[in-house]
Amino acid sequence: MLQLNDAIGRIGTESAFEVLARAKHLEAQGRSIINLGIGQPDFQTPAHIVESAVRALRDGHHGYTPANGIPALREAVAVDVHRRLGVPADPGRVLIVPGGKMTMFFAVLMFGQPGAEIIYPDPGFPIYASLIAFSGAKGVAVPLYERNGFGFSAEDVLSRITQATRLIILNSPANPTGGVSERGEVDKLVAGLRRHPDVAILSDEIYGQMLYGGRAHVSLLQYPELSERLILLDGWSKTYAMTGWRLGYGIWPATLIEPATRLAINSHSCVNAAAQYAGIAALTGPQQPVADMVAAFAARRRVVVDELNDIPGLSCIEPGGAFYVFPNISGTGLGAKEMEVKLLEEAGVATIAGSSFGRQGEGYLRLSYANSIDNIRAAMGRIRDWLAKRQAA
Ligand code: PLP
């Protein structure tokens, strides 16, 4: 019998990938499935970005790059951060990684161990809790509430800090709720963190350019007092519709960039060279495709929220960012997992149970509106008819 490391038994998964596999299986059997499950833009990567990768391959960029990323890309990240967030960034603190997830993995590996505590949002991206468990640290969930628009309360975070707390994970705009942190709460949190100088922060801002209703992104990078303990997670996957390219970056404190780079050398060596050239084109080229995508998401958000609120048994607050809605399903009398399974199998709509994102997500479903307005309307019709039929039975 093979004797696996205990940590492997503790590592979880992301149910969006499991639902995707089930949806594909049903489609292969001839069923019509509308996929509102997976969290990726339904747009193609803009053509000029694709071209730059093709050119890089033709120009012979086939070898390893520096482990932390090609200098021109790290420079482009610093310039982009300055342009968007109004704060100077040091390219020497940028670590290019294969997707946003890798920054998360490295941050949790760096701070998580038995005896340590890591604070994370619930409901939240499921990989946070999974990696914390894998590391042997204790995960301490901060509940996020619908009544607060699923934004965090600084008091709720600060009250969970103990002598053992090593890292706090924040995510805004958030997966799975679309919730956005309010600047006032972030100010309060940062002020409270002065009393806890040994606690690091991982701020996952991968949806930082997907905000609606005139909202501006509040980045933890805008708080210089955190710069020696803030790890910023961002990347190209969502902003530039590049999920399959596997390209992300972290901005690390000066003292952590060296161990983070060693983790890179020990795991992936460097990111695919052509993808890095594509990353330069994305940041330095026209930004209109991003604006167009965000405008399309904003229009879909309107439709999905209105339609959900029109379905008896469901209610949905208007999320501030990302491309998810998190409707409350408690009026249906169904559990989240039961509704996810039945909606897929009986109504042909893929969604994700809120409970897959933490205990606090029970009573909710996550729907991604990264799909066409026609498909969204059709999916809402299927959900409405399916619920009506159940109620009539
Ligand atoms: N962080 C959050 C909150 C996400 O939702 C995702 C992807 O769904 C990621 C990070 C990971 O992004 P990537 O595909 O670049 O690894």
Side-chain angles (χ1 to χ4, degrees), residues 14 17 39-40 97-104 124-128 170-176 204-207 233-238 242-244 246-249 323-324 366:
E14 195 182 338
F17 285 96
Q40 70 176 337
V97 280
K101 259 181 193 165
M102 199 56 97
T103 300
M104 202 181 289
F125 189 49
I127 300 303
Y128 304 143
L170 300 171
N171 173 216
S172 174
N175 181 1
D204 181 344
E205 302 185 11
I206 198 119
Y207 297 101
L233 181 163
D234 205 337
W236 287 259
S237 298
K238 317 286 175 173
M242 291 176 72
T243 50
R246 308 315 300 139
L247 189 64
Y249 66 84
F323 40 65
Y324 306 109
R366 187 192 80 171

Side-chain angles (χ1 to χ4, degrees), residues 14-367:
E14 195 182 338
S15 56
F17 285 96
E18 290 169 2
V19 172
L20 180 65
R22 267 193 279 135
K24 291 277 171 222
H25 180 70
L26 289 172
E27 272 176 340
Q29 294 175 346
R31 294 278 309 279
S32 153
I33 305 293
I34 303 175
N35 199 334
L36 305 184
I38 193 76
Q40 70 176 337
D42 56 321
F43 300 102
Q44 294 288 101
T45 304
H48 71 279
I49 300 177
V50 175
E51 275 314 306
S52 70
V54 172
R55 203 177 320 117
L57 286 172
R58 292 220 172 97
D59 287 351
H61 294 290
H62 304 165
Y64 292 123
T65 75
N68 57 348
I70 53 183
L73 180 57
R74 289 184 290 106
E75 181 65 41
V77 167
V79 169
D80 178 66
V81 163
H82 197 186
R83 172 184 69 82
R84 288 190 295 111
L85 306 174
V87 282
D90 174 1
R93 291 184 179 203
V94 174
L95 180 64
I96 305 296
V97 280
K101 259 181 193 165
M102 199 56 97
T103 300
M104 202 181 289
F105 203 14
F106 289 180
V108 175
L109 282 184
M110 225 176 260
F111 290 98
Q113 63 181 350
E117 293 179 6
I118 299 181
I119 296 176
Y120 69 99
D122 176 2
F125 189 49
I127 300 303
Y128 304 143
S130 164
L131 289 179
I132 294 167
F134 175 70
S135 77
K138 178 178 166 200
V140 178
V142 176
L144 303 178
Y145 299 107
E146 183 180 356
R147 62 175 181 272
N148 294 337
F150 296 110
F152 73 87
S153 133
E155 213 177 287
D156 283 349
V157 176
L158 292 166
S159 66
R160 284 170 171 76
I161 297 178
T162 70
Q163 287 294 326
T165 307
R166 297 288 173 271
L167 181 70
I168 298 172
I169 302 178
L170 300 171
N171 173 216
S172 174
N175 181 1
T177 62
V180 169
S181 302
E182 299 300 332
R183 189 172 294 279
E185 277 320 295
V186 182
D187 287 349
K188 268 195 244 167
L189 178 70
V190 173
L193 284 173
R194 283 190 204 123
R195 294 196 307 276
H196 306 283
D198 300 332
V199 175
I201 297 106
L202 169 66
S203 185
D204 181 344
E205 302 185 11
I206 198 119
Y207 297 101
Q209 295 191 60
M210 293 177 173
L211 283 144
Y212 312 109
R215 288 177 176 82
H217 179 51
V218 181
S219 172
L220 273 286
L221 267 187
Q222 292 161 333
Y223 295 81
E225 60 267 57
L226 294 182
S227 80
E228 291 316 314
R229 50 181 166 140
L230 173 69
I231 302 156
L232 179 100
L233 181 163
D234 205 337
W236 287 259
S237 298
K238 317 286 175 173
T239 315
Y240 297 98
M242 291 176 72
T243 50
W245 293 72
R246 308 315 300 139
L247 189 64
Y249 66 84
I251 300 183
W252 293 79
T255 54
L256 298 186
I257 185 72
E258 192 275 330
T261 307
R262 261 189 291 138
L263 283 171
I265 292 169
N266 276 268
S267 51
H268 56 267
S269 299
C270 68
V271 174
N272 171 319
Q276 293 193 55
Y277 282 91
I280 298 175
L283 295 179
T284 59
Q287 299 302 301
Q288 193 57 40
V290 178
D292 292 346
M293 245 187 312
V294 175
F297 285 136
R300 296 162 178 192
R301 180 186 75 135
R302 254 290 43 90
V303 171
V304 76
V305 169
D306 288 349
E307 295 250 353
L308 283 168
N309 281 317
D310 221 30
I311 299 176
L314 303 185
S315 67
C316 184
I317 62 167
E318 196 170 271
F323 40 65
Y324 306 109
V325 281
F326 207 58
N328 186 322
I329 60 165
S330 48
T332 65
L334 291 163
K337 193 71 196 170
E338 183 186 6
M339 188 143 171
E340 172 202 286
V341 170
K342 291 195 166 149
L343 275 182
L344 179 60
E345 281 167 11
E346 298 174 13
V349 182
T351 63
I352 314 283
S355 48
S356 304
F357 302 92
R359 197 181 297 173
Q360 208 63 32
E362 182 52 72
Y364 297 89
L365 275 187
R366 187 192 80 171
L367 276 59

